[in-house]
Amino acid sequence: QQQVKQSPQSLIVQKGGIPIINCAYENTAFDYFPWYQQFPGKGPALLIAIRPDVSEKKEGRFTISFNKSAKQFSLHIMDSQPGDSATYFCAAGSSGAGSYQLTFGKGTKLSVIP
Amino acid sequence: SQTIHQWPATLVQPVGSPLSLECTVEGTSNPNLYWYRQAAGRGLQLLFYSVGIGQISSEVPQNLSASRPQDRQFILSSKKLLLSDSGFYLCACTLRDFITDTQYFGPGTRLTVL
């Protein structure tokens, strides 16, 4: 019930394309859904996050779409660039025992080719 | 803003040797702190989290331990390393923003056990 399922495992798009990464969860107690971007050898960096009271959030070229009834959320990258090539993790969070814990998806390796 | 330091950046250790990884946080007080492990090409596994000095919660039973001797210091230890302990170790902290807790990651420590 604590799992977050992320797909696809890897994704190759051409520059300017719109890669879409999908995540699904089961636990209805989750109330916070961040996306992280990780470059090789670096720690994950928070990219964008959404709460279930909105269906979409946009920051620059990155958009999260959220479907509460389906318990799914996705990341769209508009006008993708080679510099966007990285591994992307979705996560879901809920408060528990005074510590805000995140459950992560297994990651999607995105390659944007020129 | 907060800054997370991890030391060392890389480490190569023989099987059976002890381990001590350090994480320190600047720019915030009383954070929640977390240790994650990331195996090569894999997702993030939560190992320990702490809500305060001396308070440690373990998520995965193994030969690792954690301690929090000071408010902004988190240490990951082992008495005897196993080959399976190799991985990328990430420290994270939670800050409270106006919406929810936001989790930030440090730069990581690459551990290779030979």
Side-chain angles (χ1 to χ4, degrees):
Chain A
Q1 195 174 9
Q2 288 292 326
Q3 283 188 327
V4 174
K5 296 182 179 179
Q6 183 173 346
S7 63
Q9 264 190 317
S10 62
L11 189 54
I12 301 174
V13 300
Q14 287 201 311
K15 178 183 174 181
I18 306 176
I20 301 173
I21 305 171
N22 300 297
C23 287
Y25 64 97
E26 291 293 326
N27 188 349
T28 55
F30 287 144
D31 57 6
Y32 175 60
F33 303 90
W35 284 89
Y36 286 84
Q37 180 189 56
Q38 185 179 31
F39 294 105
K42 305 294 184 183
L46 180 65
L47 194 60
I48 186 173
I50 197 169
R51 285 178 59 83
D53 52 350
V54 297
S55 60
E56 185 176 282
K57 182 175 182 180
K58 186 177 295 186
E59 287 186 4
R61 296 184 294 109
F62 300 93
T63 300
I64 299 179
S65 298
F66 185 81
N67 186 330
K68 187 175 181 178
S69 60
K71 291 185 282 187
Q72 295 176 347
F73 58 110
S74 59
L75 176 70
H76 301 232
I77 306 176
M78 308 301 290
D79 187 28
S80 58
Q81 301 295 314
D84 297 328
S85 297
T87 299
Y88 292 82
F89 292 94
C90 64
S94 60
S95 301
S99 176
Y100 208 92
Q101 299 185 47
L102 294 177
T103 300
F104 285 86
K106 293 189 181 300
T108 296
K109 185 174 182 179
L110 171 66
S111 299
V112 181
I113 53 180
Chain B
S1 64
Q2 85 295 339
T3 302
I4 303 174
H5 301 280
Q6 288 190 242
W7 187 88
T10 60
L11 190 60
V12 180
Q13 292 284 94
V15 169
S17 63
L19 174 73
S20 181
L21 303 182
E22 184 170 342
C23 169
T24 58
V25 181
E26 292 180 357
T28 185
S29 59
N30 196 29
N32 292 336
L33 296 174
Y34 309 80
W35 278 113
Y36 289 87
R37 178 170 60 200
Q38 186 175 31
R42 303 289 295 278
L44 295 155
Q45 180 187 32
L46 178 63
L47 302 176
F48 301 94
Y49 68 90
S50 171
V51 300
I53 295 174
Q55 300 179 61
I56 307 294
S57 297
S58 173
E59 289 295 304
V60 181
Q62 53 205 320
N63 69 319
L64 299 173
S65 62
S67 62
R68 186 170 177 176
Q70 301 180 43
D71 179 47
R72 290 173 288 177
Q73 184 184 31
F74 205 22
I75 296 173
L76 183 69
S77 304
S78 175
K79 292 182 179 178
K80 287 186 177 182
L81 283 169
L82 307 173
L83 284 174
S84 57
D85 291 324
S86 293
F88 192 44
Y89 287 82
L90 291 156
C91 178
C93 75
T94 297
L95 306 181
R96 295 189 177 276
D97 62 23
F98 75 100
I99 297 175
T100 187
D101 299 79
T102 301
Q103 199 164 125
Y104 296 93
F105 286 85
T109 294
R110 173 75 59 190
L111 171 66
T112 303
V113 182
L114 301 176

